[in-house]
Amino acid sequence: AWNEKHVRFAVRQANRTLAFKGWGLSHLATELADVRTVDIAFEMERGWTGGWDLIARSARASAHGSVAVATSLSQKVPST
């Protein structure tokens, strides 16, 4: 967590690791510290350097063994 409000975290699926920023999600730092699988709702935004940033809007411990991801707030995380 940084600035007591925000969080950065890395998520790995298979051989790919993605870095997420979570504005106002600092409570997730302790909540997900020991969790191995997560469900994440995120959006892609143009970063200030011109590249793309992954912005987590919500995350929770997954009840299942695989990572389920929603790519926008209008898309619900699939339940299996």
Side-chain angles (χ1 to χ4, degrees), residues 3-55:
N3 195 15
E4 297 183 16
K5 297 179 187 178
H6 316 301
V7 66
R8 292 182 189 181
F9 54 97
V11 176
R12 180 181 306 212
Q13 184 175 24
N15 293 328
R16 177 175 279 182
T17 301
L18 301 172
F20 288 85
K21 296 175 185 175
W23 306 118
L25 298 178
S26 63
H27 64 280
L28 294 177
T30 54
E31 185 178 321
L32 299 177
D34 297 322
V35 175
R36 298 202 37 91
T37 58
V38 295
D39 296 328
I40 302 170
F42 72 98
E43 294 179 322
M44 294 176 65
E45 293 183 357
R46 189 63 79 171
W48 65 275
T49 61
W52 291 99
D53 290 335
L54 300 175
I55 309 300

